[in-house]
């Protein structure tokens, strides 16, 4: 059982990271809160040790301003 849990640890990490990133779209009508959430997610992804999450964090950084523009275009 311990071996199975260890093998699936990266998958569980990715799942929880995905769910946390989904919460970004529900940030309150506050660009600052959204910016904080996205920055903290990027930091967590980089420290996860999972290459695909680190690569995705780089992609998010490359499009950071455009992603945050969502909160200006679609205010709640």
């Amino acid at each position: 059982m311990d071996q199975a849990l260890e093998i699936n640890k990266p998958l569980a990490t990715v799942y929880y990271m995905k769910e946390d990133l989904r919460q970004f779209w529900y940030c309150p009508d506050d660009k600052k809160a959204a910016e904080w959430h996205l920055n903290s997610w990027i930091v967590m992804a980089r420290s996860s040790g999972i290459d695909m999450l680190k690569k995705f964090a780089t992609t998010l950084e490359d499009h950071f301003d455009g992603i945050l523009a969502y909160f200006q275009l679609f205010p709640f």
Side-chain angles (χ1 to χ4, degrees):
M1 182 67 159
D2 289 336
Q3 186 179 18
L5 289 173
E6 189 61 33
I7 290 170
N8 288 312
K9 188 176 180 181
L11 181 60
T13 299
V14 171
Y15 174 80
Y16 291 120
M17 291 290 296
K18 175 201 62 114
E19 289 301 312
D20 186 56
L21 186 58
R22 279 177 34 135
Q23 295 306 309
F24 168 78
W25 301 108
Y26 301 105
C27 281
D29 175 11
D30 181 3
K31 187 177 174 185
K32 273 286 203 213
E35 185 175 355
W36 179 88
H37 189 88
L38 192 54
N39 272 324
S40 71
W41 193 92
I42 289 169
V43 168
M44 285 190 297
R46 290 203 184 283
S47 66
S48 71
I50 299 171
D51 289 338
M52 291 305 292
L53 281 178
K54 292 193 267 185
K55 185 176 179 180
F56 187 60
T58 299
T59 301
L60 289 176
E61 282 183 321
D62 291 345
H63 300 283
F64 194 82
D65 292 332
I67 295 168
L68 287 177
Y70 168 85
F71 290 91
Q72 292 171 314
L73 295 173
F74 303 102
F76 296 89

